[in-house]
Amino acid sequence: MTSRSLHRDALRTLTAWVPPTPEQALLRDRFGGHLYDYDDGLSRECHPDHLTASVLVVSPDGGQVLLTLHRKAGRWFQFGGHCEPGDETLAGAALREAVEESGLAADELDLDPVPVHLDEHEVPFCGERGDVHHLDVRFLAVARGGARPVVSEESLDVRWWPADGIPGATEEMTALVRLARERIGGQARR
């Protein structure tokens, strides 16, 4: 079971977030409604839907993305997963997942605590019944220069890819990378 502070943080994070598109606004409202309806909406035990947290790790210029070859799915993804009982914020859960899955230290990542993208997707290998949906809140982290990833037991591989050359990139991954690069570009102009 996840903490009440994580539940409150997730509601605050989603309520404060300004979605970049009308489709993302609909997802924000869906995710928030799920949390209002389910006190355990961040727990993997909440069936069939539950919120998850992930993070796209990018190079300082946004030209490369660090991805994991997911052991169960056999595809390249950003780092992320289920919230855990010790997580107090969604951004903290995403950072924990990035550290666990990438082998990078937390101080090698500059995490933006504001979501960059939301995605709802089926996860047939999550749970015995196979009808699970992850309501994924996606964050952005910039890796500091010299950061060297290490393959974890949850991954088959961890590798830097050109942001415009991710193998098998889905429409959702392409949108996530585009939004992350826009945010990086906007921060550089400030």
Side-chain angles (χ1 to χ4, degrees), residues 1-189:
M1 185 69 153
T2 54
S3 71
R4 293 182 69 69
S5 63
L6 176 60
H7 194 271
R8 282 191 301 274
D9 173 77
L11 280 170
R12 275 193 301 265
T13 297
L14 290 168
T15 301
W17 186 57
V18 179
T21 66
E23 294 80 17
Q24 288 286 286
L26 289 172
L27 283 175
R28 181 204 52 200
D29 295 347
R30 159 121 167 76
F31 289 18
H34 177 77
L35 291 175
Y36 279 111
D37 290 343
Y38 298 96
D39 289 340
D40 66 345
L42 289 135
S43 170
R44 72 177 74 212
E45 282 78 33
C46 186
H47 189 269
D49 305 330
H50 49 264
L51 264 71
T52 55
S54 68
V55 60
L56 181 68
V57 176
V58 299
S59 61
D61 67 357
Q64 293 192 330
V65 296
L66 184 63
L67 301 175
T68 179
L69 183 56
H70 194 275
R71 184 168 299 282
K72 291 180 180 176
R75 293 185 29 220
W76 292 97
F77 289 119
Q78 74 279 3
F79 304 101
H82 294 106
C83 297
E84 300 292 339
D87 294 330
E88 296 199 16
T89 66
L90 271 179
L95 181 61
R96 176 188 49 74
E97 288 285 342
V99 168
E100 289 174 0
E101 295 178 0
S102 73
L104 298 176
D107 64 1
E108 293 180 290
L109 297 168
D110 291 320
L111 179 76
D112 185 340
V114 177
V116 69
H117 186 257
L118 304 178
D119 185 59
E120 178 177 356
H121 52 271
E122 289 184 59
V123 188
F125 52 80
C126 183
E128 295 175 9
R129 293 176 266 194
D131 59 348
V132 173
H133 289 99
H134 282 178
L135 309 179
D136 196 32
V137 181
R138 297 172 168 182
F139 295 89
L140 169 65
V142 176
R144 298 202 175 147
R148 296 194 181 273
V150 177
V151 176
S152 76
E153 61 187 45
E154 296 184 35
S155 304
L156 295 172
D157 196 3
V158 176
R159 188 181 305 173
W160 286 102
W161 291 95
D164 58 0
I166 300 168
T170 62
E171 187 177 317
E172 291 79 16
M173 176 63 80
T174 301
L176 172 61
V177 171
R178 180 183 50 76
L179 290 167
R181 294 182 82 190
E182 287 173 4
R183 186 169 294 174
I184 295 281
Q187 290 173 351
R189 289 191 291 273

